[in-house]
């Protein structure tokens, strides 16, 4: 059995304000066999958003994106699965919502995206990016320690799921 891969998933502020949409996306995550390793809801600070999106700093949409991402709470998840990055990106669909709605209407962005900025979700695009992005929002999470001490348990053990906290944990019974 292959090692699990980690990815960061962000559920954006306009989804958090719509509990039905949030539940729909959470159901997609669970039905797609992702394990939710860590989960938190928090407003993203201006500093976090500027750092997180620094690669887009000189693009026309940067200010709009940072302003939107700091407009309310987001859900932040560390997801685990074999091929987590590719699978999460596939579930999200194309970044451009217009394209998603016509070419991939059953994807998360096809169903819940409103615009290219308000496209419902974010997902890491590579293992290196996932490690960096997880570190931005989960500074307390030790990436290497998780692979040393928890990965095999998440892959092979019986897990319990807390729907209130939207997170899996190893069932010690």
């Amino acid at each position: 059995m292959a090692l699990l891969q980690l990815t960061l998933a962000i559920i954006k502020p306009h989804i958090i304000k719509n509990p039905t949409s949030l539940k729909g996306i959470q159901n997609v995550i669970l039905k797609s066999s992702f394990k939710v390793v860590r989960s938190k809801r928090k407003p993203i600070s201006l500093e976090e958003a500027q750092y997180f999106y620094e690669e887009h700093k000189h693009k026309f949409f940067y200010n709009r994106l940072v302003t939107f991402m700091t407009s309310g709470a987001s859900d932040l998840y560390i997801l685990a699965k074999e091929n987590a990055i590719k699978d999460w990106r596939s579930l999200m669909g194309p970044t451009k919502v217009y394209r998603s709605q016509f070419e991939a209407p059953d994807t998360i962005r096809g169903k819940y995206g409103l615009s290219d900025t308000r496209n419902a979700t974010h997902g890491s695009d590579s293992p290196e990016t996932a490690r960096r992005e997880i570190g931005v929002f989960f500074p307390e999470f030790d990436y290497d320690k998780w692979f040393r001490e928890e990965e095999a348990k998440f892959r092979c053990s019986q897990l319990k799921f807390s729907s209130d906290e939207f997170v899996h944990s190893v069932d010690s019974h």
Side-chain angles (χ1 to χ4, degrees), residues 10-28:
I10 301 176
I11 312 302
K12 296 185 178 183
H14 72 287
I15 298 294
I16 303 307
K17 293 172 185 165
N18 183 332
T20 304
S21 296
L22 176 61
K23 194 51 138 172
I25 292 171
Q26 289 177 331
N27 286 339
V28 168

Side-chain angles (χ1 to χ4, degrees), residues 27-87:
N27 286 339
V28 168
I29 290 169
L30 296 174
K31 285 179 185 167
S32 300
S33 301
F34 281 96
K35 305 300 182 233
V36 185
V37 174
R38 299 288 188 278
S39 174
K40 65 170 77 164
R41 176 171 296 166
K42 71 185 247 16
I44 293 174
S45 72
L46 180 60
E47 295 76 24
E48 287 170 327
Q50 288 172 333
Y51 177 70
F52 190 79
Y53 292 109
E54 69 184 347
E55 69 189 77
H56 301 304
K57 188 172 190 140
H58 300 292
K59 296 183 180 165
F60 73 93
F61 59 83
Y62 175 78
N63 285 334
R64 183 176 62 222
L65 178 60
V66 167
T67 300
F68 169 62
M69 292 304 293
T70 59
S71 69
S74 291
D75 272 8
L76 305 158
Y77 307 142
I78 301 174
L79 301 180
K81 184 181 177 186
E82 284 184 40
N83 300 309
I85 293 168
K86 181 177 79 58
D87 288 0

Side-chain angles (χ1 to χ4, degrees), residues 66-125:
V66 167
T67 300
F68 169 62
M69 292 304 293
T70 59
S71 69
S74 291
D75 272 8
L76 305 158
Y77 307 142
I78 301 174
L79 301 180
K81 184 181 177 186
E82 284 184 40
N83 300 309
I85 293 168
K86 181 177 79 58
D87 288 0
W88 177 238
R89 291 180 72 78
S90 176
L91 284 175
M92 288 191 304
T95 302
K96 298 203 175 298
V97 168
Y98 184 80
R99 194 171 150 218
S100 284
Q101 290 171 338
F102 286 93
E103 296 177 12
D106 292 332
T107 62
I108 291 169
R109 290 172 173 158
K111 290 179 184 174
Y112 304 106
L114 302 176
S115 69
D116 293 352
T117 303
R118 298 172 196 270
N119 63 2
T121 54
H122 167 85
S124 307
D125 62 8

